[in-house]
Amino acid sequence: MTEHLYVLGHPVGHSKSPAMYNAVYEKVGLDWRYELMDIPEKAAAESFLAQRDFLSVNVTTPYKPEAFEAADVRAASAMLAHGANVLANKNGTLIAYNTDGQGCVSYLERAGVKFRGTSVVVCGTGPTSLSILHAVAQTGPAELILMGRDKVRARKVMRTYADELGALVGHTVDMPAFKEGHLSFAEMYRQVAFKFGSYETSRQAIAAADVIIDATPLGMNEGDSAPFDTALLHGGQTVFDVVYGHGETALAKAARAAGCRFIDGAGMLVGQAVVTVNILRDISEEAALDIPEDELFDIMARAAGFNL
């Protein structure tokens, strides 16, 4: 029986996902077809999700909140991010996940980025930012600062995240880290200093950060500026941007000029795809997908044409 899988969003014509996932399914001999589902209208996207005529859907801008609402069951990663980028259909039940954070962190650690004991700034207040914030928190930074254009909104989003994390810690069995050497939910709730700010009021924090992660969509359109004053950047910092494939962004150009180590979002795309394949292995009980993560990463990176 052919299983259908999609990437849902608008626009998605540039997406590398079909090439990556189909390379894996073809390699292991599964009759699974992964295709683009480019839907401009919100109502039509909601209708597509409601029909549930798929094994899974990867969800990108702007439909992560709609995917979250469509789910019957939500993993902690989706609940804390208030948005889902993966919906898996297990016998008619839609399960929501957010793999952005785990994919981001797993790739950055693969690239040699160290988080333990550092100061990390995450730019943006949407689901992608929160997913990354949560995954970074599990690595054990000394402080983790959520930043946005509006300090009041950043405060609200961070407080909501911290309250919801605290509720999970207080009312469930401690959730383990997804990787050996990381922190459990209870450990990160107690040990990490969660902070917030705006790009204007927290200039000193940006300058003092060891790692800066831009999880905003800035850079996807020609002429987009960086989210903050890039004069604050300097050598010794690592700057990561979730955007990839749109040429040299303003942030990339400034980070390289300042002597920072700059990394774009291509590796994160592959990293979260690896997480998604492992989810599908579990919900479908498909033994053919029991592939070592390093091998999965290499297959998908090559299929996407990435030199990672």
Side-chain angles (χ1 to χ4, degrees):
M1 177 179 175
T2 300
E3 295 283 8
H4 295 278
L5 309 94
Y6 301 95
V7 55
L8 168 67
H10 179 70
V12 292
H14 67 284
S15 177
K16 302 287 187 180
S17 293
M20 292 195 302
Y21 288 98
N22 285 328
V24 173
Y25 305 147
E26 290 169 10
K27 180 177 178 63
V28 300
L30 289 174
D31 186 19
W32 290 10
R33 296 179 183 174
Y34 190 104
E35 299 172 315
L36 299 174
M37 185 58 62
D38 193 323
I39 302 180
E41 302 86 11
K42 176 181 173 181
E46 290 174 333
S47 176
F48 166 75
L49 294 173
Q51 291 173 28
R52 305 189 177 202
D53 188 20
F54 50 79
L55 175 62
S56 79
V57 178
N58 291 96
V59 187
T60 187
T61 303
Y63 298 127
K64 292 180 184 181
E66 286 72 26
F68 182 82
E69 292 300 325
D72 302 301
V73 179
R74 300 175 180 99
S77 60
M79 288 191 293
L80 290 168
H82 288 244
N85 74 334
V86 175
L87 282 177
N89 188 342
K90 185 174 177 63
N91 300 321
T93 297
L94 290 188
I95 308 171
Y97 304 85
N98 196 310
T99 63
D100 283 330
Q102 192 174 341
C104 172
V105 167
S106 65
Y107 175 65
L108 290 179
E109 290 190 323
R110 181 186 181 95
V113 177
K114 307 296 184 184
F115 290 101
R116 177 77 69 164
T118 63
S119 175
V120 182
V121 165
V122 177
C123 300
T125 54
T128 301
S129 305
L130 283 172
S131 181
I132 292 173
L133 179 93
H134 178 63
V136 171
Q138 289 188 282
T139 67
E143 64 175 9
L144 184 50
I145 309 160
L146 183 71
M147 287 196 193
R149 290 171 293 182
D150 184 339
K151 183 177 180 179
V152 174
R153 173 166 171 74
R155 177 181 182 273
K156 179 181 179 181
V157 171
M158 176 58 91
R159 174 158 290 185
T160 299
Y161 167 80
D163 287 348
E164 291 176 347
L165 177 62
L168 283 174
V169 169
H171 295 99
T172 64
V173 174
D174 189 17
M175 300 285 285
F178 67 78
K179 181 178 178 181
E180 184 177 354
H182 287 189
L183 305 180
S184 70
F185 279 29
E187 289 170 332
M188 70 180 186
Y189 185 68
R190 292 194 302 264
Q191 296 177 27
V192 179
F194 292 101
K195 301 179 181 181
F196 62 89
S198 75
Y199 305 129
E200 285 303 314
T201 62
S202 300
R203 294 169 63 86
Q204 185 175 347
I206 294 171
D210 299 293
V211 181
I212 299 171
I213 297 174
D214 179 12
T216 73
L218 289 171
M220 293 186 70
N221 299 307
E222 188 175 355
D224 280 352
S225 63
F228 55 84
D229 182 0
T230 56
L232 299 168
L233 297 174
H234 56 82
Q237 293 178 306
T238 295
V239 177
F240 173 76
D241 193 340
V242 300
V243 172
Y244 74 96
H246 291 269
E248 186 175 51
T249 65
L251 180 59
K253 183 177 181 179
R256 292 187 176 112
C260 303
R261 182 186 183 192
F262 178 79
I263 304 171
D264 72 17
M268 172 179 159
L269 179 74
V270 181
Q272 63 89 13
V274 169
V275 178
T276 301
V277 169
N278 287 333
I279 289 170
L280 294 177
R281 177 197 61 203
D282 293 340
I283 69 118
S284 69
E285 300 180 352
E286 184 53 73
L289 293 176
D290 191 14
I291 305 171
E293 288 196 1
D294 285 346
E295 183 179 349
L296 261 181
F297 187 95
D298 289 342
I299 292 169
M300 299 177 101
R302 286 196 302 270
F306 296 148
N307 182 20
L308 300 172

